[in-house]
Amino acid sequence: MRFNRLDLNLLVVLDALLTERNITRAGEKIFLSQSATSGALGRLREFFSDELLVQVGRKMVLTPLGESLVRPVRATLIQIQTTIDMRPEFDPAVAERKFTLVMSDYTSTVLMPDVIRAASRDAPGISFEILTPSDDPLEQLERGEADFVLLPDHFIAQGHPSCHVFTEDFVCVCWEGNPMVGETLSARQYLDMGHVMVRFGSQLNPSLDESLTKKSGIERKAEVVSTTYAAIPHYVIGTNRIATLQRRLAYLWAHYMPLRILPLPVHLPKAGWSLQWHQYRDMDPATQWMRRLIVGVAGARPSLERRFDETA
DNA sequence: TGTAGCATCTCGTCTCAGAT
DNA sequence: ATCTGAGACGAGATGCTACA
């Protein structure tokens, strides 16, 4: 069967080839042999009257036409996937579905446990996969690798719908036994002391608090850089170092670990976190349900936040 | 020289259109 | 409804090229 002379199965091969830029790996990705993938590339080359990928040494490089097809082909496949997945109604009580979300371990620690608890109560057939952000989280959304990204507003890109989820401010944490810090911290101490900081991805992109402090002209001494929030308390405890953290995360850890929470001696604006999804999934009832669940849980003053109030 | 990766050849299987 | 042949496609084997 052909659609305008093209076997639509070839679009799947083309997407794998444009992504992997390697015939063997593209074939493995879509469960075809290297020879079958090479043959499919031959048919694609004939259809498009273009080489699409050319061999340069041991590498395959996209031609300009190949380059121009990357996004539209991916978008087409996502639209097909959404059409196949879409049901006119979504009944959480009986639905079987996996949601993939991209977020830092901060949001997966302070927000997702409540979301997952609520989901398992109302929708026992729903499962979750939480991925850490790559260097370009939007790419993960556009490639269909994620149903949602949950990021600071600062990092939400144009082109896909999004909604506000919660707002958070920052505090400073130090080890309870830190002899250099009392009940408060001066701006001078904050600038002079060594900091434990988080950076993300292979490029070590700065976290939100680092972006905000830099924007305010504040330069901190980064003595330890971690790629996860989870490691921060362990790098602070037993040392004279401090860290700047989101309030909810700081109070959560202070509940279990010997940490002291201090007001931030420098001004950092509150930051908003937003949920973003692919425009093609905007009308999908399952996606709409998950959006409502996350926003609802975040807005309902989750159990964790009540505990912070009591602790504070 | 060994390895990685793409192209091509051969053969088997499947699909589909046309004949009966 | 069934049979048959042509064409398309995939898998395995193999050749060729680039590179360390």
Side-chain angles (χ1 to χ4, degrees):
Chain A
M1 189 175 65
R2 294 287 187 277
F3 181 79
N4 284 349
R5 295 189 301 114
L6 178 68
D7 173 2
L8 293 184
N9 283 321
L10 289 177
L11 281 186
V12 179
V13 186
L14 180 57
D15 177 60
L17 284 165
L18 296 177
T19 307
E20 298 296 326
R21 301 172 190 210
N22 176 302
I23 290 179
T24 307
R25 282 203 303 276
E28 283 168 359
K29 189 177 176 184
I30 55 174
F31 306 105
L32 276 186
S33 67
Q34 178 270 320
S35 62
T37 313
S38 175
L41 175 58
R43 295 194 291 283
L44 283 161
R45 283 169 168 164
E46 193 180 340
F47 179 83
F48 284 103
S49 303
D50 187 274
E51 283 295 293
L52 300 173
L53 291 105
V54 288
Q55 205 163 358
V56 178
R58 279 190 183 182
K59 283 187 170 177
M60 295 295 271
V61 175
L62 299 188
T63 63
L65 179 63
E67 205 69 66
S68 73
L69 287 169
V70 173
R71 279 177 183 266
V73 168
R74 180 89 293 249
T76 301
L77 291 181
I78 289 177
Q79 197 162 12
I80 291 170
Q81 184 65 50
T82 308
T83 306
I84 293 168
D85 288 345
M86 185 116 60
R87 297 289 178 272
E89 287 177 2
F90 175 75
D91 182 356
V94 295
E96 299 270 334
R97 171 142 180 192
K98 183 178 82 176
F99 285 96
T100 303
L101 299 98
V102 170
M103 64 185 72
S104 70
D105 64 327
Y106 152 61
T107 37
S108 75
T109 301
V110 302
L111 176 63
M112 287 312 286
D114 285 312
V115 171
I116 289 169
R117 262 192 292 278
S120 56
R121 189 184 56 229
D122 302 339
I126 297 295
S127 59
F128 292 85
E129 197 168 77
I130 314 290
L131 305 179
T132 50
S134 67
D135 289 330
D136 186 359
L138 186 67
E139 186 74 16
Q140 289 170 282
L141 199 67
E142 295 207 325
R143 294 206 50 72
E145 291 166 5
D147 296 303
F148 295 101
V149 295
L150 179 56
L151 296 170
D153 295 347
H154 185 66
F155 297 107
I156 292 293
Q158 300 298 310
H160 294 286
S162 63
C163 67
H164 176 75
V165 178
F166 65 90
T167 302
E168 180 82 298
D169 62 345
F170 296 89
V171 295
C172 191
V173 296
C174 69
W175 174 42
E176 222 168 44
N178 187 331
M180 299 173 69
V181 181
E183 290 306 311
T184 58
L185 195 67
S186 70
R188 187 70 264 158
Q189 282 175 298
Y190 183 79
L191 294 175
D192 286 346
M193 292 174 80
H195 287 251
V196 180
M197 289 158 65
V198 177
R199 289 178 187 154
F200 301 106
S202 59
Q203 310 287 318
L204 291 180
N205 299 313
S207 62
L208 181 62
D209 59 280
E210 187 176 356
S211 300
L212 291 173
T213 46
K214 275 201 173 151
K215 217 176 198 176
S216 306
I218 301 163
E219 278 296 333
R220 294 179 290 174
K221 282 200 291 185
E223 289 190 349
V224 180
V225 172
S226 163
T227 54
T228 65
Y229 283 99
I232 288 188
H234 306 288
Y235 299 143
V236 167
I237 293 167
T239 77
N240 291 338
R241 297 193 180 100
I242 56 174
T244 303
L245 286 176
Q246 292 86 343
R247 176 179 295 276
R248 279 195 268 195
L249 192 59
Y251 276 98
L252 173 67
W253 283 333
H255 192 74
Y256 301 106
M257 291 184 249
L259 292 169
R260 188 182 309 155
I261 295 171
L262 306 154
L264 208 58
V266 296
H267 174 71
L268 277 194
K270 283 191 172 189
W273 266 257
S274 288
L275 190 67
Q276 188 164 40
W277 56 94
H278 200 290
Q279 54 177 327
Y280 291 146
R281 298 194 202 273
D282 198 37
M283 301 307 288
D284 172 25
T287 306
Q288 291 174 342
W289 176 83
M290 181 53 71
R291 269 147 43 193
R292 284 196 299 274
L293 179 72
I294 293 174
V295 172
V297 166
R301 291 179 57 79
S303 55
L304 204 58
E305 199 167 337
R306 281 199 296 277
R307 200 160 66 225
F308 301 157
D309 294 347
E310 287 156 17
T311 316

